Amino acid sequence: MLLRDMALHITKSGFLVKAGTMLKKPPNVQEWSMVLENVSLVKNSLLYIPLEMSSPECPRLITLLLSRCNITSIPEGFFKHIDARKVHGLSRNPIKNLPNSLSNCLMLTTL
């Protein structure tokens, strides 16, 4: 844990990591920034993405990891401003339907 925190401190603004922190909802849209390239919210088994949540503005985002969060649905507009994504981790979530906006992501290489 200490090593991870030190590495994140060195890399500064390109990462948002809140893995295993028992989040109940994603970080506020204000915490997501235009310079983020990697976001990890894995292992937050109580995570719920509210339908009214607006899309974070992260045009440089490459990796978004939401595995093991027990997410059952993702709002349609959640990916509106995250279209540069290449890797999207959704494994081990009971999601019934993916939003149509995910299919517009031409850079997506791993789902």
Side-chain angles (χ1 to χ4, degrees), residues 34-78:
M34 299 289 279
V35 297
L36 277 179
E37 294 181 2
N38 301 283
V39 172
S40 175
L41 303 177
V42 299
K43 294 184 181 179
N44 283 293
S45 60
L46 303 174
L47 189 65
Y48 170 76
I49 302 174
L51 290 175
E52 66 277 358
M53 182 176 178
S54 58
S55 178
E57 293 197 32
C58 302
R60 295 178 55 192
L61 194 68
I62 296 169
T63 305
L64 177 59
L65 302 176
L66 298 169
S67 302
R68 296 182 178 185
C69 289
N70 204 31
I71 296 170
T72 56
S73 66
I74 298 174
E76 179 59 46
F78 186 74

